[in-house]
Every structure is written in structure tokens, then in C-alpha cells.
């Protein structure tokens, strides 16, 4: 039977998250139309051994080095031959309603290249699941906003909120981009637009991919009436100027240079 959906999860020393992620996907692990593919970014903990022992039905590809988000997900896409590709962060937890609603929506809307749903944090609050395309000024203000939160300051809150969409509602919304924590992608659209840009190690690879889909005539849709859990670390808990932060800054710098070059070429 042909595989309809390939779920791609990547991780680096992430077994503490993957345990919950894979447990939430157990309802799909015996579905002949669904395959789960885990791409390991050079973990040094028990992740690979634990997956082999606890989830032998999950396919696993091991990278010799930490290749970053875009490259690892591209490896997953190269090894999939399904109608749809679903990206899930290791710290998400899927459920039947969200999964089948997204797949059915894509089945019924051929003009949609990618869709996602509402993400709910461990605090029970909705997250910034969908956003407007980033701008230089917006990224700077968002960064200062997040730094300010560490010191109890709410800097540039209005500017920060302008980068986000209203994540509540009862109807599908066409948006600029949905974040990579959960994305259901039409394989035909992916083949047309190409792979994720591997020059972005960590950062706006999700915005870049949705922007390219839009240029190829595909819509990016957000379904606010379904949700999954996403236990990500909020900026207030992250170390200032960590390796991850620096990688994100470099990713945005490259993204903006790329957008400018395309505009100059009239693309």
C-alpha cells in the first residue's frame, strides 16, 4: 500500500522529549498509510538505543554530525515517497483530531501547499503558531522584547504583536507562514519549490520555505480550531547570546540578504 503521510521528526539528545512525542503517535504506528521517520542529529545520549528498543517500527537515519534543522529535514524528505510530509518538532505531542483534520483539509484543497494548527504550551496558552514574514526592524524589536522579558520589562510589545496573527478562531486562515514545529506539506508542492534552504542552520527556514511556496502559487493555511501540544522553551528561559541565538541571528541575516537579492533580480 502506498504511503500517504511521512512524519519526519528530528532530534539531538532529545530522548526526554521524544518519549512523549512518539507515545502521542502510537495511534499511527500501525497505519499502513503512515510512516514515521526519525533523523538523529549526532546524539550522544541514549536516544538511538532507546528508539530501537521501544519503537522498532519507527525508521531511523543517523547523521554523523549535527546538520541543523533544514539539512536534517531534507534528509527525511529525500527518503520519503508519500503524498504528504509532516514536520514535527521533537517537543510536540500529536492527537487524532488534529492529524486527520489537517490531512483531510489538504485532500480537499489542492491549492494549499502547507497547513498547520494551533500550538498549545505547557502553560495551557496558545503560542505564536503563525506569523507575518519577518522584517529587519521586526526581528530587532522582537529580540529586544524577548531580552526585556528576562528583566521584567515589556519592551516593544505592540511591535512584537504586529508580527503575529490572531491564533484564535473557527475558520481556516491564509497566513504568510506557519512555524516549523508542525507543518503538513503537499509533496507535489515541495517537489516544485525544492528543499529547505540548508544555508539556514537554525532560524527562519520555515518563513523562507512558505515564502517560496507562495511564489509558486500555493497557499499557506492555519487551522485555529484544532491544536497540539508544544513544550518549547520560551525566550525568557534561554541563555543570552547562546550558540542557538547566534545561529538564529546568522540565519536571519542570510534570509534578508536572500530576499533583497531576489527583489533586485525581479523574482
Amino acid at each position: 500500500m502506498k504511503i500517504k503521510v511521512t512524519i519526519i521528526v528530528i532530534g539531538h539528545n532529545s530522548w526526554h522529549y521524544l518519549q512523549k512525542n512518539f507515545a502521542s503517535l502510537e495511534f499511527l504506528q500501525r497505519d499502513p498509510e503512515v510512516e514515521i521517520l526519525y533523523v538523529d542529529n549526532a546524539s550522544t545520549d541514549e536516544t538511538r538505543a532507546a528508539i530501537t528498543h521501544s519503537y522498532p517500527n519507527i525508521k531511523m537515519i543517523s547523521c554523523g554530525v549535527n546538520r541543523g534543522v533544514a539539512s536534517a529535514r531534507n534528509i527525511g524528505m529525500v527518503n520519503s515517497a508519500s503524498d504528504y510530509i509532516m514536520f514535527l518538532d521533537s517537543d510536540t505531542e500529536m492527537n487524532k483530531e488534529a492529524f486527520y483534520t489537517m490531512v483531510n483539509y489538504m485532500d480537499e484543497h489542492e491549492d494549499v501547499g502547507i497547513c498547520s494548527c494551533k500550538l498549545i504550551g505547557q502553560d495551557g496558552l496558545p503560542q505564536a503558531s503563525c506569523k507575518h514574514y519577518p522584517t529587519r526592524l521586526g526581528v530587532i524589536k522582537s529580540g529586544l522584547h524577548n531580552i526585556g522579558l528576562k528583566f521584567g520589562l515589556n519592551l516593544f510589545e505592540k511591535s512584537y504583536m504586529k508580527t503575529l496573527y490572531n491564533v484564535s478562531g473557527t475558520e481556516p486562515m491564509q497566513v504568510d507562514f506557519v512555524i516549523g514545529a508542525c507543518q503538513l506539506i503537499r509533496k507535489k508542492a515541495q517537489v516544485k519549490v525544492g528543499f529547505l534552504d540548508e544555508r539556514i542552520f537554525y532560524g527562519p527556514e520555515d518563513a523562507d520555505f512558505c515564502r517560496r511556496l507562495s511564489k509558486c502559487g500555493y497557499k499557506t493555511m492555519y487551522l485555529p480550531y484544532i491544536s497540539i501540544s508544544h513544550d518549547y522553551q520560551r525566550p525568557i528561559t534561554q541563555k543570552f547570546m547562546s550558540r542557538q541565538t547566534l545561529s538564529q541571528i546568522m540565519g536571519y541575516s542570510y534570509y534578508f540578504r536572500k530576499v533583497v537579492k531576489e527583489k533586485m533580480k525581479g523574482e
Side-chain angles (χ1 to χ4, degrees), residues 63-75:
C63 301
V65 296
N66 187 345
R67 301 175 63 95
V69 175
S71 181
R73 284 179 167 169
N74 283 345
I75 290 173

Side-chain angles (χ1 to χ4, degrees), residues 1-265:
M1 182 177 292
K2 178 178 171 56
I3 300 297
K4 184 171 184 177
V5 182
T6 299
I7 299 174
I8 298 174
V9 183
I10 67 173
H12 171 71
N13 295 337
S14 305
W15 178 238
H16 55 297
Y17 285 125
L18 290 167
Q19 294 178 71
K20 295 181 180 179
N21 179 286
F22 291 151
S24 75
L25 295 172
E26 285 186 351
F27 71 97
L28 293 169
Q29 289 177 23
R30 289 179 176 81
D31 187 331
E33 291 188 319
V34 177
E35 65 177 356
I36 303 172
L37 176 59
Y38 171 69
V39 182
D40 186 80
N41 258 333
S43 293
T44 56
D45 64 359
E46 74 275 24
T47 296
R48 286 173 289 181
I51 293 173
T52 300
H53 177 266
S54 300
Y55 296 99
N57 293 331
I58 292 178
K59 298 179 180 180
M60 181 163 52
I61 298 174
S62 297
C63 301
V65 296
N66 187 345
R67 301 175 63 95
V69 175
S71 181
R73 284 179 167 169
N74 283 345
I75 290 173
M77 287 193 285
V78 168
N79 286 274
S80 68
S82 51
D83 297 329
Y84 299 112
I85 298 161
M86 175 174 279
F87 290 151
L88 286 178
D89 273 0
S90 59
D91 54 1
T92 59
E93 294 178 56
M94 182 53 66
N95 59 75
K96 288 183 180 180
E97 180 187 18
F99 179 82
Y100 288 114
T101 299
M102 284 189 281
V103 172
N104 291 337
Y105 183 84
M106 295 290 278
D107 283 345
E108 296 169 0
H109 298 83
E110 289 284 339
D111 58 340
V112 176
I114 185 169
C115 79
S116 186
C117 64
K118 184 185 297 183
L119 303 176
I120 303 294
Q122 294 301 301
D123 54 8
L125 298 176
Q127 300 172 351
S129 311
C130 50
K131 303 180 181 181
H132 296 281
Y133 291 130
T135 63
R136 286 189 178 86
L137 183 59
V139 169
I140 292 172
K141 287 186 175 181
S142 293
L144 292 174
H145 171 78
N146 292 330
I147 292 171
L149 292 178
K150 297 177 184 290
F151 303 99
L153 302 174
N154 202 357
L155 304 172
F156 300 112
E157 180 182 17
K158 292 183 178 179
S159 295
Y160 173 71
M161 295 305 293
K162 286 182 180 179
T163 68
L164 312 178
Y165 286 89
N166 179 3
V167 295
S168 299
T170 58
E171 297 295 331
M173 298 166 49
Q174 183 173 355
V175 297
D176 283 351
F177 78 98
V178 289
I179 69 171
C182 175
Q183 296 177 329
L184 182 62
I185 303 165
R186 189 179 304 280
K187 181 67 173 182
K188 289 181 180 178
Q190 182 272 311
V191 170
K192 186 175 182 179
V193 76
F195 294 99
L196 298 173
D197 192 331
E198 296 186 9
R199 284 166 289 188
I200 303 175
F201 185 87
Y202 173 76
E205 75 285 337
D206 44 14
D208 177 71
F209 188 70
C210 290
R211 183 180 62 87
R212 288 157 52 204
L213 281 171
S214 177
K215 290 172 64 176
C216 288
Y218 287 100
K219 295 179 180 178
T220 295
M221 299 299 295
Y222 168 68
L223 311 182
Y225 44 86
I226 51 173
S227 64
I228 66 170
S229 298
H230 183 213
D231 185 21
Y232 85 125
Q233 293 188 4
R234 292 182 180 276
I236 193 172
T237 66
Q238 296 176 356
K239 294 180 180 179
F240 179 62
M241 295 308 290
S242 64
R243 179 178 297 181
Q244 186 180 46
T245 302
L246 291 173
S247 294
Q248 192 172 36
I249 291 172
M250 293 175 63
Y252 275 111
S253 177
Y254 166 77
Y255 170 84
F256 291 128
R257 293 198 306 271
K258 180 179 180 179
V259 171
V260 169
K261 288 181 180 179
E262 290 178 359
K263 288 182 178 180
M264 290 177 65
K265 291 180 180 179

